[in-house]
Amino acid sequence: MSNLPAPTVLLSRYFNHLKMNNWSATTISRRDYVLNKFITWSSERGIESVTEITAESLAAYRRWLYHYRNERTGKPLKFCTQASYLSTVGHWLAWLSEQGWIDSDPSTGIELPKEEQRLPSSHLTIDEIETLLSSVDLTTPTGLRDRALLELFYATGMRRAELIALKLDDINHESGLAMIRQGKGRKDRVVPTGKRALGWLMKYLHDGRPALLDEDTQVIFLTSRGNAFHPVTLSQLVRSYLTAAGITKPGSCHMLRHTTATLMLEGGADLRSIQTLLGHEQLNTTQIYTHVSIKRLREVHDKTHPGAKDRPPQSDTE
């Protein structure tokens, strides 16, 4: 192919293909970052055309990912990140092959690294979450906002981006339900807010939000400038409350999501209900919480294991 377009041009056409197939802007942005990194890596090694990408060069790229260290922290890439990068490159190469830009897909024989089965990050106990909630100053509009958003995080287990995107019409005050529109995977779902969270939300909407409102917007949670939150800003806000409450466990917004799932499971909720609440596509994603929630397993063990109630060994001095 003498008139073969440059890799960046083919990359642009690939993204247009994804857009036409209704891929989310977030996913496309992430793939844009990964694939441009791969093109830069290839160019630095003399690979200027997609026809020059081979199974051998992909194997070298995989080795490079394995040995890569973050310049700031010195830490390696997680295996799940390495697998994601390789999978993204493989999807692009498969598309190039389907479109006839390359004769065959050189990524078909590349084995992805096995991902770790990791438990969720730390979660809060009931006492810790109540301490967190009660630490908010309720005498200011921003304090009412913060109490409402912390309560809603805790009640629903929604993701950070989902809470930021909530609009006034997404809350049904009569039924106590919240509509989460276009969550992860671009799927809508409805979740219960709980009476307490709904009460604090209504108080914020009545007594707090009007003072923060700068121009007409349907977004529920507003910054002091009247704008919607940036994800990083919201995480920093939640982290500041955790620190002020004396909670040193790592995490912020996502830790509240883990807290919701874990405490509900310990309270007797079934996995299917938690799966629906969190918006997990696969049940095995939700099943990780069965490893975190040890309370019920300990109770069952104490009641049913034959050796659980045996007398402990006596010391020689007794």
Side-chain angles (χ1 to χ4, degrees):
M1 298 182 185
S2 57
N3 297 322
L4 187 68
T8 52
V9 174
L10 292 172
L11 195 59
S12 178
R13 297 183 184 182
Y14 168 70
F15 290 138
N16 286 332
H17 167 79
L18 297 184
K19 291 174 183 176
M20 288 190 295
N21 284 278
N22 200 31
W23 285 52
S24 73
T26 301
T27 300
I28 292 175
S29 176
R30 187 163 53 244
R31 294 199 167 212
D32 183 29
Y33 172 82
V34 171
L35 290 171
N36 273 294
K37 284 283 189 182
F38 173 70
I39 289 175
T40 299
W41 178 91
S42 299
S43 179
E44 291 172 347
R45 286 152 182 82
I47 302 173
E48 301 294 346
S49 169
V50 292
T51 58
E52 298 172 358
I53 300 173
T54 63
E56 290 75 19
S57 63
L58 289 176
Y61 179 62
R62 181 185 174 182
R63 289 192 297 272
W64 180 83
L65 289 174
Y66 176 76
H67 291 289
Y68 176 82
R69 294 297 180 269
N70 184 283
E71 294 180 0
R72 182 176 59 86
T73 65
K75 294 182 178 180
L77 292 175
K78 295 179 180 178
F79 282 107
C80 60
T81 303
Q82 296 177 43
S84 175
Y85 281 19
L86 291 168
S87 177
T88 297
V89 171
H91 191 270
W92 179 50
L93 293 173
W95 177 82
L96 289 172
S97 177
E98 291 171 1
Q99 299 298 312
W101 294 113
I102 56 179
D103 293 334
S104 60
D105 177 7
S107 70
T108 53
I110 298 297
E111 182 181 3
L112 299 181
K114 185 177 180 180
E115 298 183 27
E116 310 98 322
Q117 296 296 320
R118 304 184 68 88
L119 297 179
S121 59
S122 302
H123 69 278
L124 304 180
T125 65
I126 295 177
D127 288 341
E128 287 173 331
I129 192 71
E130 293 300 332
T131 298
L132 173 67
L133 295 171
S134 62
S135 68
V136 181
D137 178 7
L138 302 176
T139 62
T140 65
T142 54
L144 291 175
R145 174 205 65 197
D146 296 346
R147 179 64 185 262
L149 68 84
L150 288 172
E151 290 278 3
L152 204 58
F153 261 139
Y154 177 43
T156 65
M158 67 175 65
R159 299 178 178 91
R160 178 180 63 179
E162 294 169 346
L163 184 133
I164 289 173
L166 280 178
K167 305 231 176 3
L168 296 174
D169 291 342
D170 293 335
I171 305 297
N172 188 319
H173 297 274
E174 294 183 2
S175 62
L177 298 174
M179 169 66 80
I180 297 175
R181 303 183 186 278
Q182 298 293 281
K184 190 172 182 179
R186 308 193 76 176
K187 295 180 180 179
D188 294 348
R189 72 181 189 280
V190 178
V191 298
T193 62
K195 291 183 179 180
R196 187 172 78 170
L198 183 61
W200 281 108
L201 180 59
M202 294 178 69
K203 183 170 181 60
Y204 157 66
L205 293 176
H206 185 268
D207 299 333
R209 187 175 181 275
L212 301 175
L213 191 62
D214 183 46
E215 57 184 32
D216 187 35
T217 178
Q218 291 293 303
V219 174
I220 289 180
F221 292 108
L222 303 174
T223 67
S224 57
R225 296 184 178 182
N227 304 317
F229 274 91
H230 186 277
V232 174
T233 304
L234 184 57
S235 289
Q236 291 171 340
L237 177 68
V238 173
R239 185 67 251 171
S240 69
Y241 276 109
L242 289 164
T243 301
I247 299 171
T248 59
K249 295 176 179 178
S252 56
C253 299
H254 216 64
M255 180 167 61
L256 298 183
R257 178 171 164 87
H258 293 324
T259 298
T260 300
T262 304
L263 295 182
M264 285 185 64
L265 189 63
E266 290 182 347
D270 62 277
L271 279 175
R272 286 291 183 185
S273 296
I274 295 178
Q275 178 190 11
T276 302
L277 181 71
L278 299 182
H280 287 161
E281 184 173 357
Q282 301 293 334
L283 184 62
N284 59 4
T285 306
T286 315
Q287 286 175 331
I288 58 177
Y289 291 103
T290 61
H291 301 290
V292 178
S293 178
I294 196 67
K295 180 180 177 182
R296 284 200 296 166
L297 176 59
R298 184 183 292 114
E299 291 174 350
V300 171
H301 185 275
D302 290 343
K303 290 179 180 178
T304 62
H305 194 284
K309 294 181 176 61
D310 282 355
R311 293 179 60 189
Q314 301 298 314
S315 65
D316 294 337
T317 58
E318 294 182 0

